[in-house]
Amino acid sequence: MWLFCVLLAGVVPVAVSWNDIPLRFSRVLTAHGREDTAVITWGYNRENLDIVIELTVPKASWIGLGLSPEGSFNGTDIVIGGWDEKSEHFFYDAHLQGEWPPVKDNSQDYELIDLRHNETHSFLKVWRKLFTCDSNDLDIENDTIRVMAIFGDDRDLTYSDEKFFKLSMLFMSIIPDVEFNDKVLTYELRLPHFPIPADDTTYACTFLPLPPVTTKHHIIKYEEVLTPTSVGIVHHILVYACSNHSEVPSEIAPCYGEDPRYAKCQEVMFGWAVGGEEFYYPKDVGVPIGREDDPKYIRLEVHYSNFDNIDGLVDNSGIRIKYTPELRKYDSGVFMTGVFTFPVQFLPPGAHIFNSYGLCDTSIFSELFMARLVE
């Protein structure tokens, strides 16, 4: 998205319109092994290109709301509010140049709406434009943003890992206006009590049954279910449909280890990764289950990125689905294409550049799709 910023002398500024923006969305920020959390709540106006954000943290003397494109401190856009020794509040727009502490921006583009605290929590509520034309402010677009909650009890803005939360998320959420009736059922596909290894990367797989229905139903929504202590460690979750002739072990094992059974079932049904949110199918579309040829079992794959090598965590993460006997007009499917390189492709030693090529005959796509429609 291109945005041209023009400053015109004599232009009357438009009044800030935060009263017209309801806070419609909310996410919880947490950290490995922590019981306390932060909560970010927000709402936006696409026509006016502005947003209101409220951050709630455990009671503190100051609060920092950081927005980062990649999750590192360097280049983070941060707004800070708090109270000085005389209990008078301070507030300013800043950024991080590599490390803490923040540097105040020349252009102050955040407006303070509310700064307060009660016996247990502190609250910072701000307004800003999605695009401020300040190189030190992060543009808020239809992209994943790493949101940081940083807070403290001293007056010198001392940084502590114990008072820091981070979450990858989308601000520009689109929540369909959907109401579920009593015929919509809930079912969960989750790893049962899996001890996360203290390794950088783990792919854990198991096989689970889909809802045991004997007539056609439609899955109309899915969302991630994360164990709180696993937030930030679970990188992605995939659900693969198995053919009804597949062998389905009941244990949990490495997806790509010595037992090849755990790498079978390659047709993706659902997927979630860091920054993803709940997924609603269009109002006339659903994923069919329950017919004779529909899958009865799935392979659940959970990828853990335990870069801090934390030991002793037990995970029950997975996918929650909503399904119904009230059928929709169309059946949904997943079309996969690409070049499969694992595990037989290797990059030549010392290569400065290496290209993979795949050929795909698109002329048969329409024939393939029509065959599915006829079925």
Side-chain angles (χ1 to χ4, degrees):
M1 178 175 184
W2 291 94
L3 184 73
F4 295 92
C5 300
V6 180
L7 302 178
L8 300 177
V11 174
V12 177
V14 178
V16 174
S17 57
W18 59 65
N19 289 329
D20 300 327
I21 303 178
L23 301 182
R24 299 182 56 212
F25 311 101
S26 181
R27 298 292 296 273
V28 175
L29 289 74
T30 186
H32 313 325
R34 300 259 299 275
E35 293 185 358
D36 55 342
T37 60
V39 177
I40 183 167
T41 309
W42 74 98
Y44 57 84
N45 186 314
R46 285 186 181 271
E47 293 183 0
N48 292 341
L49 297 177
D50 56 356
I51 187 170
V52 171
I53 306 172
E54 182 175 77
L55 181 63
T56 303
V57 301
K59 190 175 181 180
S61 296
W62 58 270
I63 311 169
L65 167 65
L67 307 179
S68 169
E70 299 177 354
S72 61
F73 267 7
N74 189 37
T76 291
D77 173 18
I78 187 168
V79 60
I80 294 177
W83 297 267
D84 60 19
E85 293 82 358
K86 298 180 181 180
S87 296
E88 295 181 357
H89 79 260
F90 59 87
F91 174 80
Y92 57 91
D93 179 8
H95 64 280
L96 291 170
Q97 295 178 339
E99 298 295 337
W100 195 265
V103 178
K104 189 174 182 178
D105 289 359
N106 292 327
S107 176
Q108 295 292 295
D109 300 296
Y110 287 80
E111 296 282 347
L112 178 63
I113 301 176
D114 191 17
L115 178 63
R116 58 188 170 87
H117 53 71
N118 57 26
E119 294 300 319
T120 59
H121 291 85
S122 298
F123 307 85
L124 173 67
K125 188 176 182 180
V126 299
W127 170 95
R128 60 160 281 184
K129 283 290 187 180
L130 301 180
F131 308 95
T132 68
C133 300
D134 181 355
S135 61
N136 290 318
D137 292 337
L138 181 66
D139 291 341
I140 298 178
E141 304 182 80
N142 296 324
D143 240 341
T144 299
I145 292 177
R146 281 72 181 177
V147 177
M148 302 176 183
I150 312 170
F151 53 100
D153 295 320
D154 67 319
R155 310 294 178 177
D156 299 324
L157 303 186
T158 303
Y159 171 80
S160 169
D161 286 338
E162 297 302 314
K163 298 184 183 298
F164 173 81
F165 299 102
K166 182 169 66 175
L167 178 69
S168 297
M169 52 172 277
L170 295 170
F171 273 114
M172 308 306 288
S173 300
I174 301 177
I175 302 297
D177 186 14
V178 177
E179 293 185 3
F180 293 136
N181 58 34
D182 56 5
K183 292 187 178 180
V184 175
L185 307 171
T186 300
Y187 191 84
E188 294 186 348
L189 303 162
R190 304 174 68 167
L191 281 186
H193 308 293
F194 176 67
I196 302 175
D199 300 326
D200 288 352
T201 299
T202 300
Y203 288 84
C205 276
T206 194
F207 295 81
L208 299 169
L210 284 167
V213 293
T214 56
T215 59
K216 183 178 179 180
H217 287 58
H218 268 151
I219 297 172
I220 56 178
K221 176 196 170 184
Y222 70 86
E223 62 187 339
E224 82 280 8
V225 186
L226 299 180
T227 300
T229 53
S230 302
V231 173
I233 294 179
V234 174
H235 178 270
H236 73 247
I237 303 172
L238 289 171
V239 175
Y240 298 89
C242 295
S243 75
N244 293 332
H245 303 290
S246 300
E247 182 179 359
V248 287
S250 58
E251 299 79 18
I252 303 174
C255 300
Y256 309 104
E258 297 179 356
D259 191 336
R261 297 177 300 170
Y262 286 86
K264 293 182 177 179
C265 306
Q266 294 293 329
E267 183 180 345
V268 174
M269 291 184 72
F270 317 118
W272 173 87
V274 171
E277 298 178 342
E278 55 193 5
F279 184 86
Y280 294 79
Y281 287 88
K283 62 182 180 180
D284 54 355
V285 176
V287 178
I289 58 173
R291 298 173 300 182
E292 182 178 352
D293 293 333
D294 289 332
K296 304 296 187 294
Y297 276 80
I298 59 91
R299 175 168 68 96
L300 178 67
E301 174 184 304
V302 182
H303 173 203
Y304 300 95
S305 295
N306 189 2
F307 296 130
D308 293 328
N309 305 121
I310 301 173
D311 198 7
L313 297 178
V314 177
D315 184 58
N316 294 275
S317 298
I319 295 290
R320 178 185 296 123
I321 64 174
K322 296 283 189 180
Y323 67 104
T324 177
E326 294 184 335
L327 300 181
R328 297 183 169 185
K329 185 176 181 180
Y330 300 108
D331 290 344
S332 170
V334 175
F335 179 70
M336 297 176 59
T337 184
V339 179
F340 186 75
T341 59
F342 181 85
V344 295
Q345 178 170 306
F346 299 92
L347 273 61
H352 296 290
I353 187 171
F354 186 81
N355 297 319
S356 290
Y357 295 95
L359 300 177
C360 186
D361 184 358
T362 60
S363 64
I364 65 170
F365 282 6
S366 59
E367 179 182 341
L368 173 65
F369 293 148
M370 286 304 298
R372 288 293 295 174
L373 289 175
V374 170
E375 291 177 4

